[in-house]
Amino acid sequence: MSRPSAPALPLTAAEELELRKISNSHSTPQTIVRRCNVVLGAAAGIANKRLARQLSTTITTVLLWRRRFEQEGLPGILHDRPRAGRPRQISLEKEGAIVEATHSTVRTMARSQGVSPATVQRIWRAYGLKPHRRHTLSSARD
């Protein structure tokens, strides 16, 4: 005997309108659009397996976003949770010192801060810093 499909997900009119607006926006990332479509499909009473097939995803994904919406509402599907990863190895103070003193080379900065050159490069890239390009226009004007 087959199991009955999950009950339709209850949505308020405001939630449905917001989900449709987000999913129809051209600037919305496709991951968010898929999450919205999962919730809208679940609210329409579409069975989870059928919804997964329609959206070209897995049943696990449908269940995840359905459950997340039930528990947390709209913010639960619009924002990713923090993921597990390697703990921070460099303090915020040291990172700030590396960002502020961008006048030196990668190697001298790494030596003065006691970190690897790769760490300095990674921090500069994260902040969009290009200290090797800073002196080109100002020195030409002097």
Side-chain angles (χ1 to χ4, degrees):
M1 208 168 165
S2 65
R3 292 178 15 181
S5 60
L9 194 61
L11 276 183
T12 66
E15 287 173 330
E16 183 176 356
L17 182 66
E18 186 67 21
L19 284 167
R20 289 194 189 286
K21 189 171 95 175
I22 292 168
S23 67
N24 290 331
S25 173
H26 294 291
S27 62
T28 304
Q30 288 302 300
T31 55
I32 303 295
V33 170
R34 176 173 286 155
R35 295 172 191 180
C36 290
N37 289 335
V38 164
V39 172
L40 288 168
I46 300 172
N48 293 330
K49 282 185 180 180
R50 187 167 156 225
L51 188 57
R53 251 181 285 127
Q54 283 179 354
L55 298 175
S56 301
T57 190
T58 64
I59 186 78
T60 308
T61 301
V62 169
L63 293 172
L64 168 76
W65 295 115
R66 181 184 173 109
R67 184 172 44 254
R68 183 85 54 90
F69 184 80
E70 287 173 337
Q71 293 171 352
E72 300 175 25
L74 196 55
I77 64 168
L78 295 180
H79 303 289
D80 288 331
R81 289 184 178 163
R83 296 181 181 202
R86 183 175 171 196
R88 198 171 182 76
Q89 298 294 314
I90 188 167
S91 69
L92 290 174
E93 292 80 23
K94 188 170 282 209
E95 186 174 311
I98 292 171
V99 169
E100 290 299 317
T102 57
H103 62 277
S104 63
T105 66
V106 170
R107 287 184 183 95
T108 57
M109 176 61 66
R111 229 175 291 126
S112 71
Q113 294 297 321
V115 296
S116 71
T119 300
V120 173
Q121 288 174 331
R122 186 174 52 252
I123 292 169
W124 282 355
R125 187 173 38 251
Y127 284 88
L129 300 175
K130 298 179 182 177
H132 60 282
R133 302 179 119 208
R134 287 184 68 184
H135 62 80
T136 55
L137 290 177
S138 61
S139 62
R141 289 188 195 158
D142 292 338

